[in-house]
Amino acid sequence: KKEINRKTISKIFYIHPDYFSHIFREQTGCSFIDYLIRVRIEKARKLLCSTDQSLVNIALAVGYSNTAHFGKHFKRETGMTPGTYRKNARKKDE
């Protein structure tokens, strides 16, 4: 939910942001931002399936202040919009 980026993480570990990015990619095989997006979208998927929260509230809960940005990332990761994802998840539960 909080603002997080490579600079804030780098400060915690007392290393340069570029070095953090290098080590992160070396260890995980992806960039920090790509990893963060995946984690946020996975949390959003769970919230969409388990709550009736609005899409705006879910976007805010997973760290997006811009709902259009959230929707773009969600669609890129899942292949569908958050609203469509929720509808499909509810159909499966019926």
Side-chain angles (χ1 to χ4, degrees), residues 41 44-45 47-49 51 53-56 58-59 62 64 66-90:
I41 298 305
R45 290 169 69 166
L47 290 171
L48 286 165
C49 292
T51 71
Q53 289 185 53
S54 70
L55 298 180
V56 172
I58 289 174
V62 298
Y64 286 92
N66 181 323
T67 55
H69 204 196
F70 167 67
K72 176 183 164 186
H73 284 171
F74 193 94
K75 187 167 185 174
R76 187 180 75 201
E77 290 293 316
T78 66
M80 60 186 86
T81 66
T84 302
Y85 184 88
R86 177 178 265 170
K87 284 178 191 173
N88 289 345
R90 288 186 176 167

Side-chain angles (χ1 to χ4, degrees), residues 13-14 26 30 33 36 38 50 54 66 68 72 76 82:
F13 294 107
Y14 302 103
E26 188 176 82
C30 68
I33 192 67
L36 182 59
R38 276 192 238 126
S50 64
S54 70
N66 181 323
K72 176 183 164 186
R76 187 180 75 201

Side-chain angles (χ1 to χ4, degrees), residues 6 10 15-26:
R6 69 186 191 121
S10 299
I15 59 176
H16 193 276
D18 292 342
Y19 183 63
F20 168 74
S21 293
H22 172 75
I23 295 297
F24 192 91
R25 184 180 293 276
E26 188 176 82

